[in-house]
Amino acid sequence: MSKITITILAALAVTGLAIPANSQESDSVTSTANYDTSIEPPRAEQRPHEYTYHGITISDPYNWLRDESYPTIDDEDVLDYVRAENAYFEAQMAPQQDLVEELFTEMRGRIKEDDSTVPQRDGDYEYWSEFEEGGQYRQYYRRPVGSDERQQILDGPALAEGLEYFSLGSLSVSEDGRYLAYSTDTTGGEFYTAFIKDLETGDLLSDRIENVNSGLIWAAGDSMIVYGRANENWRVDRIFAHRVGESGEDALIYAEEQLGFTVSPGLSSNREWLILSTGDNETSEVYLLPASDPMASPMIVRARETGVEYDVDVRPNADGDDTLFILTNDNHVNFRLATAPMSAPTQWTTLIEGSDEFYLTDFDLFRDFYVTEGRLAGLDQVQVRYYDDPVRVETISFPEASYSAGLGNNPEWAMDRLRLSYESPITPDTVYDYHVASRELETLKVLEIPSGFDPSLYTVERLEIRARDGTMIPATVVYRSDREMGGPLHMYAYGAYGFAYPPNFATTRFSLIDRGVAYVIAHIRGGDDLGREWYLQGKMEERTNTFNDFVDVGRGLIELGYTSEGQISASGGSAGGELMGAIVNQAPELYGAIVAHVPFVDVLNTMLDESLPLTPGEWPEWGNPIESKAAFTHILSYSPYDQVVAQDYPPMLVTAGLNDPRVTYWEPAKWVAKQRELRTDDNILLLKTNMGAGHGGRSGRFEGLRETAEEVAFILWQLGVEE
């Protein structure tokens, strides 16, 4: 027995997490494992625990892995189990470290280490950020318009020095340019602390605002900062105004009393109005109040109505009766754009009708024109429109058939050019200025790849594959043009919350693609890739369409000759991790490797626990199993943790963050523990928990890159892909 094995078993023995005597492999079984089977994996103790809802009793022997003192995590049994899993991960990945290092070096070689963003004007200054060579975090700068004299306004590396984790939340300069408000998180728990820096002296003011989880909005002539405060359950249900330079309790502006609603502050495009938006995943309500007077009584735009979502911006009028622009789904699933006078905010008049073909996703107001964004046949559209000519629409054209594009940072009210972002699976991130008058695109920057990149070596295809219910599911496929058909293939998807995963560019993918692994983005239901209805067909009672779509795309790719059974790897995170859990329960034979990042796999237990940060606001997405037996049984039918059974599963790498407030660490821990109990194969199963990080993994651009290298190494190892 190796030294590592002894360490793992000792940790288990101390806490009573003994390996059951009957857990040993039968001597008659011939192992086909491609890892060190002499190193025994941790096996969590089963402790009796049951709960009953709607007359249905569920046994959950791994419930104890949730620390009863959460969000404090100090139960030594729990911590020892998590540490044992980490030790097992390190032991099994040790032989792959040369490959991890090779991949990390390769991935790092595609990064321009001293990269910077394109400066953008806001008032009297141009702002941008930079990485230094070897730096993990950005530094932020500005310079007066027309000058080369730059000023560092925030030093990310200095703020992060000595910290295991660091994240910059919001960064906001006062209207007069003197002060910088910024917020930081040093645990991964996403409770941010805000500070104010005097940009004239370089000194921090004494102000310190705790538990911020929103943007920082300057108001009242730069004398106040408006922000959202997270409560003990990590829900933003209060908006406060902090008076700069003063101590004591901040002034409450708005309090949301409906469980499950969260509220966030914003600013109108012309910066004259504070916009307070509250809601959940299917319902919203908006209040307005003058940015000059945050303590005024908020004016409601339209009272909340279940199922009606809307966003608001304000265009000033010379007569003082400003015009509201409202994006809403009140009479069409794909949203319409309406207007209303400030004096009669509920009298909505349609400006752009809802469309079955065009999915209207966003709008931005500027002084002389406005911009709408949306998708047509799943592809991004950016359109310039004019207040005085409603039928005039200028659609910005892009050069490829499959791409991702949208507005970038356009902070000023009076703009004559628009900052745009563009990318495709084989086109690196590109920054444009679109000159509105001449309708010309000016290229400002193309992501530089120091090790070189030749797009002509690759083929991009957009396929449609029939799902079992007859629906055609789009899939973006990228591979080297010299790749042999039938080889290994990697699939990725998210499929939840109406988030469309775009056909974007990612340098790290090419460590798979250049080794002959095709890369596929499955545009499955649950996202809104093909419109809002596409999202609705993958939530609540229709949630299983998401899982079926992914499985059926994989089977379709096999039928088309792109790959073969067992040669597909797949990955997804958070709700995409739930997807990973569902597909391996349904069709484990398809996959040769699975990577599930912070996977939302204990769906039923989480939706039953309204004390958890996100649960009440998630009921419109998944259903409320506390009140509804139908929701309870439906969630139970697909919840990956509850549906683990005695069957073969593919090799799996699972990750977690100990401080993750979105998907708590015990979800992946329980899922792995139950798999270790029931799975009948000898494939490898690894769990890695970041002990000082949250939902996004380790901070710092190179620390995160190393974790990506580990993931790719695991996939290549398990698929048997060699150089």
Side-chain angles (χ1 to χ4, degrees):
M1 185 177 291
S2 71
K3 183 176 181 180
I4 291 287
T5 306
I6 294 172
T7 302
I8 294 172
L9 296 182
L12 296 175
V14 166
T15 59
L17 313 183
I19 297 176
N22 62 2
S23 69
Q24 303 300 316
E25 295 286 349
S26 167
D27 291 338
S28 63
V29 176
T30 301
S31 174
T32 59
N34 63 349
Y35 62 97
D36 190 347
T37 56
S38 70
I39 306 175
E40 287 284 352
R43 295 188 185 271
E45 178 186 4
Q46 297 184 49
R47 299 179 183 177
H49 176 79
E50 292 182 343
Y51 61 89
T52 301
Y53 283 85
H54 311 292
I56 302 170
T57 299
I58 305 294
S59 176
D60 186 6
Y62 300 109
N63 178 73
W64 66 270
L65 285 170
R66 172 183 174 162
D67 195 319
E68 292 183 357
S69 61
Y70 179 83
T72 300
I73 305 165
D74 55 9
D75 185 313
E76 285 303 318
D77 285 5
V78 171
L79 290 171
D80 283 345
Y81 175 72
V82 171
R83 293 182 187 119
E85 287 284 4
N86 280 351
Y88 182 69
F89 168 84
E90 296 292 343
Q92 291 294 356
M93 287 296 293
Q96 308 303 318
Q97 286 311 299
D98 287 348
L99 177 57
V100 171
E101 193 61 36
E102 175 188 337
L103 289 165
F104 174 75
T105 301
E106 180 181 297
M107 292 174 181
R108 186 166 179 170
R110 300 190 188 105
I111 295 175
K112 187 176 188 297
E113 295 202 11
D114 57 348
D115 198 17
S116 64
T117 61
V118 179
Q120 177 64 301
R121 178 172 178 166
D122 187 0
D124 296 330
Y125 295 90
E126 293 179 327
Y127 294 86
W128 75 99
S129 65
E130 295 180 0
F131 280 112
E132 288 188 340
E133 187 87 20
Q136 295 266 32
Y137 301 94
R138 292 182 180 273
Q139 302 190 61
Y140 296 83
Y141 295 92
R142 72 177 182 181
R143 65 189 177 208
V145 173
S147 169
D148 292 329
E149 184 180 351
R150 71 182 197 170
Q151 174 192 12
Q152 185 185 76
I153 61 174
L154 197 66
D155 186 344
L159 292 174
E161 186 174 359
L163 298 174
E164 184 177 357
Y165 181 91
F166 173 79
S167 173
L168 181 65
S170 181
L171 186 148
S172 178
V173 177
S174 60
E175 290 294 318
D176 65 6
R178 174 165 181 177
Y179 296 105
L180 170 70
Y182 67 92
S183 60
T184 64
D185 169 26
T186 59
T187 68
E190 298 184 56
F191 286 90
Y192 289 83
T193 301
F195 305 90
I196 302 174
K197 181 179 180 180
D198 187 333
L199 296 179
E200 289 187 1
T201 67
D203 297 330
L204 284 180
L205 305 189
S206 60
D207 307 58
R208 184 183 176 98
I209 312 172
E210 302 286 356
N211 299 328
V212 175
N213 200 329
S214 75
L216 301 169
I217 312 297
W218 288 93
D222 294 336
S223 67
M224 303 180 84
I225 292 176
V226 175
Y227 68 96
R229 181 184 296 174
N231 64 22
E232 64 276 7
N233 289 322
W234 193 68
R235 299 174 194 149
V236 180
D237 57 2
R238 300 287 188 272
I239 301 295
F240 290 89
H242 171 81
R243 190 167 294 279
V244 176
E246 294 187 4
S247 58
E249 182 61 27
D250 292 338
L252 178 67
I253 291 179
Y254 177 83
E256 177 54 62
E257 302 301 337
Q258 183 165 332
L259 186 65
F261 272 40
T262 58
V263 60
S264 62
L267 203 58
S268 65
S269 294
N270 67 352
R271 306 186 186 182
E272 293 181 2
W273 292 90
L274 286 169
I275 302 173
L276 308 183
S277 301
T278 185
D280 59 16
N281 288 335
E282 67 174 9
T283 304
S284 56
E285 187 175 72
V286 175
Y287 294 83
L288 301 173
L289 60 162
S292 60
D293 184 12
M295 302 314 299
S297 297
M299 181 194 79
I300 189 170
V301 174
R302 174 172 166 172
R304 65 192 65 178
E305 179 182 341
T306 300
V308 174
E309 301 172 71
Y310 70 96
D311 291 316
V312 174
D313 203 349
V314 184
R315 183 186 183 218
N317 289 328
D319 63 5
D321 192 8
D322 294 351
T323 300
L324 307 183
F325 279 65
I326 304 125
L327 179 69
T328 180
N329 67 343
D330 63 342
N331 68 13
H332 197 286
V333 68
N334 276 342
F335 289 77
R336 65 171 172 140
L337 188 63
T339 61
M342 181 76 76
S343 58
T346 60
Q347 296 179 11
W348 295 1
T349 301
T350 296
L351 181 63
I352 302 174
E353 294 279 2
S355 166
D356 293 340
E357 291 76 33
F358 183 78
Y359 177 32
L360 184 60
T361 60
D362 203 359
F363 73 99
D364 285 87
L365 303 183
F366 300 95
R367 186 188 64 188
D368 301 323
F369 55 85
Y370 65 102
V371 177
T372 53
E373 295 185 83
R375 281 192 290 279
L376 185 65
L379 291 177
D380 291 335
Q381 307 290 310
V382 182
Q383 302 171 329
V384 178
R385 298 172 181 264
Y386 294 87
Y387 301 111
D388 57 357
D389 188 356
V391 299
R392 181 183 175 189
V393 181
E394 297 173 358
T395 300
I396 301 175
S397 298
F398 298 105
E400 294 174 274
S402 182
Y403 61 87
S404 174
L407 283 182
N409 178 32
N410 293 279
E412 294 197 314
W413 176 239
M415 302 281 290
D416 60 4
R417 64 188 68 184
L418 295 170
R419 186 65 48 86
L420 299 173
S421 61
Y422 177 88
E423 59 188 311
S424 82
I426 57 172
T427 299
D429 303 33
T430 303
V431 179
Y432 291 116
D433 264 356
Y434 177 74
H435 295 259
V436 176
S438 63
R439 302 181 63 177
E440 294 177 329
L441 282 173
E442 177 189 0
T443 302
L444 302 181
K445 179 185 176 182
V446 179
L447 179 69
E448 182 180 337
I449 302 175
S451 60
F453 179 74
D454 182 357
S456 69
L457 297 176
Y458 306 97
T459 298
V460 179
E461 297 178 346
R462 188 172 175 90
L463 307 177
E464 287 193 336
I465 296 175
R466 188 179 304 276
R468 65 195 68 178
D469 66 357
T471 303
M472 302 303 292
I473 311 300
T476 300
V477 185
V478 190
Y479 55 90
R480 278 189 68 102
S481 301
D482 58 359
R483 172 186 181 267
E484 294 184 6
M485 292 288 280
L489 178 148
H490 184 79
M491 293 181 63
Y492 183 87
Y494 185 72
Y497 301 109
F499 173 73
Y501 197 84
N504 62 351
F505 184 84
T507 59
T508 54
R509 289 179 195 151
F510 291 92
S511 291
L512 287 170
I513 295 170
D514 285 343
R515 289 172 171 81
V517 182
Y519 195 98
V520 178
I521 300 170
H523 304 285
I524 56 180
R525 284 173 284 185
D528 64 356
D529 307 59
L530 297 187
R532 193 66 169 179
E533 191 63 41
W534 199 250
Y535 158 53
L536 298 177
Q537 291 176 19
K539 66 177 289 191
M540 297 289 283
E541 296 84 1
E542 298 187 80
R543 180 60 185 155
T544 54
N545 283 335
T546 301
F547 316 138
N548 296 342
D549 288 355
F550 193 90
V551 170
D552 293 346
V553 168
R555 287 177 172 152
L557 291 166
I558 293 171
E559 291 175 7
L560 292 170
Y562 284 86
T563 189
S564 58
E565 187 174 285
Q567 279 290 287
I568 300 175
S569 60
S571 63
S574 195
E578 176 207 40
L579 171 66
M580 295 299 101
I583 65 170
V584 297
N585 284 336
Q586 179 183 145
E589 72 281 355
L590 293 183
Y591 307 103
I594 295 288
V595 179
H597 296 288
V598 290
F600 176 42
V601 285
D602 196 8
V603 184
L604 184 59
N605 273 308
T606 295
M607 289 299 102
L608 287 168
D609 188 349
E610 63 184 66
S611 72
L612 291 176
L614 298 180
T615 293
E618 297 289 296
W619 287 329
E621 185 76 19
W622 314 99
N624 184 345
I626 300 172
E627 296 183 353
S628 168
K629 182 177 181 179
F632 184 97
T633 57
H634 182 59
I635 295 172
L636 176 63
S637 73
Y638 69 76
S639 175
Y641 171 69
D642 294 285
Q643 293 303 315
V644 173
V645 296
Q647 67 176 21
D648 286 0
Y649 285 91
M652 298 178 67
L653 167 60
V654 183
T655 70
L658 195 67
N659 298 327
D660 189 346
R662 300 172 185 263
V663 177
T664 49
Y665 75 89
W666 62 80
E667 293 204 35
K670 289 172 62 177
W671 185 44
V672 167
K674 190 172 184 180
Q675 284 192 62
R676 292 210 192 282
E677 171 199 351
L678 294 176
R679 59 193 293 161
T680 55
D681 57 84
D682 58 3
N683 290 322
I684 194 166
L685 172 61
L686 300 178
L687 170 63
K688 177 185 178 181
T689 301
N690 279 307
M691 304 301 283
H695 198 62
R698 299 175 70 178
S699 65
R701 59 173 173 165
F702 298 130
E703 293 303 315
L705 195 67
R706 187 169 294 279
E707 292 193 325
T708 302
E710 287 178 341
E711 171 188 347
V712 173
F714 178 82
I715 291 169
L716 295 173
W717 170 29
Q718 293 306 309
L719 292 181
V721 176
E722 299 180 357
E723 292 296 320

